[in-house]
């Protein structure tokens, strides 16, 4: 009984790991949004931030990859190199540069709200590349589709509808001048450009998930190595982009300030750790599951932003958050039922296989019986035949 309880407990923990990992990542991403916004407002170049971020990530994750995964390393063929090159281009260069630029022109909460298109875009791309199947006649897939649409609708509601200001306990007595430097000073034109940049970043991010799933087939047992290579390749590409976009040497200067904290935090938490955890989760659950948790980041950022950056929370944001959570759990429910159905289908062929093996063994016995009759009877064969003859046949012969 104790052993069964231990097995159930270990099985429960194993099933919870992907959920705990992705929820923890959302807190890490939320902290990155707040710290990065402060750093960008202080004048740091987002191109330089991307370089420092991935240089630190490479330095942090490379020793672990060397000590734990140095044996039986996959060969870096030209197709594998192109996958790593594309991952570095999509993630560190395109996604993060465009996201930081959009974040600078908007706000952390709004940027996270726009990122909630990620599950929908990833779901669509997964269908295109046949990583996900959709049978619209089944309730499971209907729930997944509806959940994705509801999630995006909630994010759009937060974007298009503000509503009245919601007074929180910690913001009720705050003076109006405390919100200086927030997104309220951004012009409508800059806000629109920021939206476009965030959409491009989200598209690149969803493409990263799809391609990373394919790359994990080669690096299934060397995920730390894959993370190191992607961060290193992204660093080289980001350096090249920064040299093209930034022509002042002063932009590379960094001291013991918020800029260093932003680069170190982003490099350690949201690059090295997040890439590795995402790889583990996608290996077992797929890219759609990994992206389905992104709406939680927006809720966390909205709360932290009201504390740290004095961001105002409006009724539209609260309603949109509730809608997003509803859509999120709809997608997760559909994903859970789909996996349960797959396991049942995998167990059925195994049972059929065992049954066919049993029938084949019985057929071999019958063949041996017929062979013994034609050969006139061998003493050793007769001894084995007596054991295998059914009871009913022996009764009939007497």
């Amino acid at each position: 009984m104790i052993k069964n309880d231990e097995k159930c407990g270990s099985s429960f923990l194993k099933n919870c790991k992907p959920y705990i990992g992705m929820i923890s990542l959302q807190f890490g991403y939320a902290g990155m949004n707040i710290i990065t916004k402060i750093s960008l407002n202080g004048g740091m170049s987002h191109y330089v931030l991307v370089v420092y971020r991935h240089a630190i990530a490479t330095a942090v994750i490379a020793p672990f990859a060397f000590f734990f995964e140095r044996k039986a390393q996959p060969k870096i063929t030209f197709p594998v190199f192109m996958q790593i090159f594309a991952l570095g281009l999509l993630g560190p260069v395109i996604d993060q540069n465009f996201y930081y630029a959009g974040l600078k022109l908007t706000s952390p909460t709004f940027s996270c709200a726009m990122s909630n298109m990620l599950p929908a875009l990833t779901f669509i791309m997964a269908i295109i590349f046949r990583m996900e199947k959709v049978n619209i006649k089944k309730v499971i897939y209907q729930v997944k589709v509806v959940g994705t649409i509801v999630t995006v609708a909630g994010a759009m509601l937060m974007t298009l509808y503000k509503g009245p200001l919601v007074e929180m306990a910690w913001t009720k007595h705050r003076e109006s001048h405390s919100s200086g430097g927030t997104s309220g000073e951004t012009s409508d034109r800059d806000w629109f450009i920021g939206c476009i940049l965030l959409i491009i970043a989200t598209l690149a991010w969803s493409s990263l998930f799809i391609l990373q799933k394919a790359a994990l087939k080669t690096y299934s047992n060397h995920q730390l190595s894959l993370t190191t290579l992607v961060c290193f390749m992204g660093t080289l590409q980001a350096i090249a982009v920064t040299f093209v976009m930034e022509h002042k040497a002063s932009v590379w200067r960094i001291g013991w300030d918020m800029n260093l904290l932003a680069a170190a935090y982003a490099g350690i938490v949201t690059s090295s750790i997040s890439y590795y955890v995402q790889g583990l989760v996608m290996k077992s659950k797929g890219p759609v599951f990994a992206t389905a948790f992104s709406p939680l980041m927006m809720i966390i950022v909205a709360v932290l932003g009201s504390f740290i950056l004095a961001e105002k929370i409006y009724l539209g944001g609260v309603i949109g958050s509730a809608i997003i959570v509803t859509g999120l759990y709809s997608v997760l429910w559909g994903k859970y039922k789909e996996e349960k159905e797959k396991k049942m289908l995998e167990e059925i062929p195994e049972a059929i296989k065992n049954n066919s093996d049993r029938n084949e063994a019985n057929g071999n016995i019958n063949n041996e019986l017929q062979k013994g009759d034609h050969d006139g009877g061998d003493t050793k064969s007769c001894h084995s035949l007596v054991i295998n003859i059914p009871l009913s046949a022996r009764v009939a012969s007497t």
Side-chain angles (χ1 to χ4, degrees), residues 337-348:
K337 290 294 183 180
E338 182 185 1
E339 290 177 357
K340 194 173 181 180
E341 186 180 76
K342 285 180 180 179
K343 288 181 180 179
M344 291 177 64
L345 292 175
E346 288 173 358
E347 290 174 358
I348 292 173

Side-chain angles (χ1 to χ4, degrees), residues 48-93:
V48 175
L49 177 59
V50 171
V51 173
Y52 285 143
R53 167 179 176 169
H54 287 88
I56 293 173
T58 305
V60 169
I61 204 72
F64 292 96
F66 177 77
F67 284 110
F68 295 109
E69 297 179 352
R70 56 182 171 181
K71 296 181 180 179
Q73 279 283 335
K75 293 182 179 179
I76 302 180
T77 60
F78 182 73
V80 173
F81 173 79
M82 291 306 299
Q83 283 184 341
I84 296 172
F85 183 89
L87 285 171
L89 187 64
L90 288 171
V93 179

Side-chain angles (χ1 to χ4, degrees), residues 324-342:
I324 286 170
V325 171
T326 303
L328 167 65
Y329 285 107
S330 298
V331 174
L332 293 179
W333 182 87
K335 193 68 180 174
Y336 168 76
K337 290 294 183 180
E338 182 185 1
E339 290 177 357
K340 194 173 181 180
E341 186 180 76
K342 285 180 180 179

Side-chain angles (χ1 to χ4, degrees), residues 10-21:
S10 61
S11 177
F12 176 76
L13 289 175
K14 185 178 180 180
N15 293 332
C16 287
K17 282 182 180 179
Y19 296 89
I20 295 173

Side-chain angles (χ1 to χ4, degrees), residues 344-358:
M344 291 177 64
L345 292 175
E346 288 173 358
E347 290 174 358
I348 292 173
E350 189 67 27
I352 294 173
K353 181 181 177 182
N354 293 335
N355 190 35
S356 64
D357 292 341
R358 202 176 294 113

Side-chain angles (χ1 to χ4, degrees), residues 14-315:
K14 185 178 180 180
N15 293 332
C16 287
K17 282 182 180 179
Y19 296 89
I20 295 173
M22 292 309 302
I23 291 173
S24 300
L25 278 187
Q26 303 317 309
F27 280 93
Y29 282 130
M32 184 273 293
N33 276 274
I34 300 298
I35 295 173
T36 302
K37 177 64 175 177
I38 297 173
S39 177
L40 293 174
N41 287 346
M44 187 177 188
S45 169
H46 62 83
Y47 297 106
V48 175
L49 177 59
V50 171
V51 173
Y52 285 143
R53 167 179 176 169
H54 287 88
I56 293 173
T58 305
V60 169
I61 204 72
F64 292 96
F66 177 77
F67 284 110
F68 295 109
E69 297 179 352
R70 56 182 171 181
K71 296 181 180 179
Q73 279 283 335
K75 293 182 179 179
I76 302 180
T77 60
F78 182 73
V80 173
F81 173 79
M82 291 306 299
Q83 283 184 341
I84 296 172
F85 183 89
L87 285 171
L89 187 64
L90 288 171
V93 179
I94 298 177
D95 168 35
Q96 291 174 20
N97 272 305
F98 278 87
Y99 184 82
Y100 286 156
L103 174 63
K104 189 174 183 178
L105 294 174
T106 56
S107 70
T109 303
F110 185 84
S111 300
C112 293
M114 294 297 290
S115 297
N116 287 316
M117 293 184 296
L118 181 64
L121 291 176
T122 306
F123 185 63
I124 294 171
M125 295 185 70
I127 294 173
I128 294 173
F129 290 99
R130 299 183 179 180
M131 291 182 177
E132 291 281 334
K133 63 177 182 178
V134 175
N135 185 355
I136 203 65
K137 295 180 180 179
K138 290 188 176 182
V139 178
I140 295 174
Y141 301 104
Q142 291 174 358
V143 170
K144 287 176 67 176
V145 172
V146 172
T148 302
I149 295 172
V150 169
T151 300
V152 177
M156 293 300 99
L157 177 63
M158 289 187 65
T159 303
L160 301 175
Y161 172 70
K162 281 189 175 181
L165 182 66
V166 177
E167 293 288 353
M168 300 294 180
W170 57 88
T171 61
K172 191 173 183 180
H173 302 290
R174 187 166 51 202
E175 298 295 333
S176 60
H177 63 79
S178 64
S179 61
T182 60
S183 59
E185 297 179 355
T186 305
S187 67
D188 293 338
R189 180 177 176 275
D190 289 341
W191 193 270
F192 177 76
I193 294 174
C195 293
I196 301 300
L197 295 175
L198 291 170
I199 291 173
I200 297 173
T202 307
L203 182 61
W205 196 2
S206 61
S207 302
L208 172 70
F209 275 97
I210 297 299
L211 185 57
Q212 189 176 4
K213 177 68 174 179
L216 284 170
K217 294 179 181 178
T218 305
Y219 287 88
S220 59
N221 298 321
H222 298 81
Q223 293 166 12
L224 289 170
S225 302
L226 178 62
T227 303
T228 303
L229 291 172
V230 171
C231 290
F232 178 70
M233 183 62 67
T235 303
L236 297 179
Q237 294 172 340
I239 290 173
V241 172
T242 305
F243 277 133
V244 173
M245 302 302 296
E246 299 284 359
H247 304 288
K248 296 180 180 179
S250 59
V251 298
W252 293 94
R253 294 175 186 172
I254 190 170
W256 295 94
D257 51 14
M258 185 58 68
N259 295 342
L260 178 61
L261 176 62
Y265 183 94
I268 296 172
V269 177
T270 57
S271 284
S272 56
I273 295 178
S274 69
Y275 285 171
Y276 178 67
V277 173
Q278 282 175 188
L280 290 176
V281 173
M282 283 192 291
K283 184 180 177 181
S284 60
K285 295 291 187 178
V288 175
F289 179 90
T291 58
F293 287 84
S294 61
L296 294 178
M297 174 177 59
M298 175 201 59
I299 300 173
I300 299 168
V301 168
V303 176
L304 292 179
S306 66
F307 271 109
I308 301 171
L309 298 176
E311 279 195 84
K312 295 180 180 179
I313 298 178
Y314 295 91
L315 180 62

